[in-house]
Amino acid sequence: MIEKLEGTHETVNYKKNTNIKLYDNSEYEEYPDHWHSSLEIVMPIKGLYYGVCAGDDIRLRENDVFIVCPGTIHHYYACKGERLIFQIDFNVIHHIRALESVMSMLSPSYLITPESQPAIHDKIQKMLIEIMDIYNSDELMTEARIYAIMINVFVMIGRN
C-alpha cells in the first residue's frame, strides 16, 4: 500500500517511532512506477507476484526473497495472493563499511531463491518471518531486534 506518492517518489510512512514498515499484503492492487529511499524486501507467502524493477521483468514465487535497493524505480502488478512487503531505512546501518560493499553487490535489486542461494535462502526466509512476528509484537526493543536480524541477513548475503 502506497500511502504517499508524489510523481514517482513514495514517502514511506514508517511504524510510529521507528524506521521500519512491514505490510502483510493480500490486496489485489497495482503499485505504479515508484521509488523510495528505503530498502525494500518482498517475499510472496501465497501465490506468484509480478512486476518490473529497473526495467527488468520480475516473477516471484512463494518464499522467493526480492531485495530492491533505495532509489530504484519499480512497479508491481495486481496479483492474487499474499506477500510480505518490508521497508527499512538503510541509512541507520549503511555506515558499516562491509555492508556498503554488500549493497553495491545487490544494486539495483537482488533475488534470492532456493536455486540461486541454496545455502542461505531458507535461513533468510525464516528470518523475515521472525521479523514479521517481532514487528507485530508489543515487545520492547523491536526496532533494534529487527535491525540486528537485517545485519545478519546482509552478512549472510555478503559471505555467499
Side-chain angles (χ1 to χ4, degrees), residues 12-30:
V12 176
N13 292 326
Y14 298 115
K15 185 177 184 178
K16 187 177 180 180
N17 299 319
T18 73
N19 289 302
I20 54 178
K21 178 180 182 178
L22 189 138
Y23 182 47
D24 185 4
N25 174 264
S26 58
E27 302 295 322
Y28 186 79
E29 181 177 13
E30 186 161 350

Side-chain angles (χ1 to χ4, degrees), residues 6 48 50 77 80 88 91 100 119-121 130 136-137 139 142 146 149 153 156:
E6 294 177 18
L48 300 173
Y50 297 93
Y77 298 110
K80 293 181 181 177
I88 187 166
N91 288 323
E100 286 180 23
I120 63 171
H121 172 268
E130 182 181 3
N136 292 321
S137 75
E139 297 176 23
T142 59
I146 289 171
I149 292 169
V153 166
M156 277 196 280

Side-chain angles (χ1 to χ4, degrees), residues 99-112:
L99 294 185
E100 286 180 23
S101 63
V102 172
M103 283 304 292
S104 65
M105 179 182 77
L106 301 180
S107 185
S109 64
Y110 192 72
L111 177 61
I112 301 169

Side-chain angles (χ1 to χ4, degrees), residues 131-145:
I131 285 172
M132 186 168 60
D133 292 340
I134 293 167
Y135 183 87
N136 292 321
S137 75
D138 290 328
E139 297 176 23
L140 294 174
M141 303 294 290
T142 59
E143 183 181 33
R145 287 185 64 204

Side-chain angles (χ1 to χ4, degrees), residues 8-153:
T8 59
H9 179 250
E10 175 188 5
T11 300
V12 176
N13 292 326
Y14 298 115
K15 185 177 184 178
K16 187 177 180 180
N17 299 319
T18 73
N19 289 302
I20 54 178
K21 178 180 182 178
L22 189 138
Y23 182 47
D24 185 4
N25 174 264
S26 58
E27 302 295 322
Y28 186 79
E29 181 177 13
E30 186 161 350
Y31 301 107
D33 282 352
H34 67 283
W35 66 274
H36 35 72
S37 57
S38 301
L39 179 110
E40 180 172 275
I41 299 176
V42 176
M43 183 178 75
I45 296 169
K46 293 180 187 168
L48 300 173
Y49 201 41
Y50 297 93
V52 176
C53 184
D56 294 325
D57 291 333
I58 55 171
R59 176 185 181 269
L60 305 177
R61 302 170 302 167
E62 290 181 13
N63 298 317
D64 283 350
V65 176
F66 187 62
I67 301 171
V68 180
C69 290
T72 303
I73 294 179
H74 53 290
H75 177 125
Y76 298 115
Y77 298 110
C79 296
K80 293 181 181 177
E82 179 183 3
R83 59 233 131 231
L84 177 145
I85 300 176
F86 176 59
Q87 295 170 314
I88 187 166
D89 182 353
F90 193 74
N91 288 323
V92 173
I93 56 176
H94 89 278
H95 294 293
I96 301 171
R97 290 182 194 257
L99 294 185
E100 286 180 23
S101 63
V102 172
M103 283 304 292
S104 65
M105 179 182 77
L106 301 180
S107 185
S109 64
Y110 192 72
L111 177 61
I112 301 169
T113 68
E115 296 81 16
S116 70
Q117 296 287 337
I120 63 171
H121 172 268
D122 288 349
K123 293 173 187 170
I124 290 175
Q125 185 253 344
K126 287 176 183 159
M127 292 169 110
L128 292 173
I129 296 298
E130 182 181 3
I131 285 172
M132 186 168 60
D133 292 340
I134 293 167
Y135 183 87
N136 292 321
S137 75
D138 290 328
E139 297 176 23
L140 294 174
M141 303 294 290
T142 59
E143 183 181 33
R145 287 185 64 204
I146 289 171
Y147 270 103
I149 292 169
M150 285 307 302
I151 289 170
N152 282 328
V153 166

